[in-house]
Amino acid sequence: EILCKGDEQCNLMRAKVIQALNDLNLCAEVVSTMDPVKLAGLRFRNLPSLLIDGRLAAVGSSHSVNDIRKLIDLGSAVYH
């Protein structure tokens, strides 16, 4: 899940996550949460934020596809 404002940074994070999933041959739903009320309730101040299986994995859009791939791969190893 990507928590974001629906801006360019959100789109960049989404594209990187989708590319990382494709590189790993994984099929997963990528959800973007942009509702300001819901975001306020989640208490995440730095956006975009990437949650993997409900856990904060990355903040900001500066992470490379390779960084995100490693986070997803680590999450897969931990949870499966």
Side-chain angles (χ1 to χ4, degrees), residues 41-63:
L42 294 173
R43 301 182 195 167
F44 286 97
R45 302 284 184 243
N46 298 318
L47 300 175
S49 294
L50 174 63
L51 304 179
I52 298 176
D53 292 331
R55 301 179 111 174
L56 182 62
V59 175
S61 61
S62 64
H63 299 280

Side-chain angles (χ1 to χ4, degrees), residues 12-56:
L12 181 59
M13 171 76 84
R14 183 177 183 78
K16 289 178 182 180
V17 169
I18 290 170
Q19 182 61 53
L21 289 167
N22 287 337
D23 292 350
L24 292 166
N25 292 319
L26 293 175
C27 181
E29 181 180 14
V30 180
V31 177
S32 297
T33 299
M34 297 177 259
D35 177 28
V37 174
K38 185 172 181 181
L39 290 173
L42 294 173
R43 301 182 195 167
F44 286 97
R45 302 284 184 243
N46 298 318
L47 300 175
S49 294
L50 174 63
L51 304 179
I52 298 176
D53 292 331
R55 301 179 111 174
L56 182 62

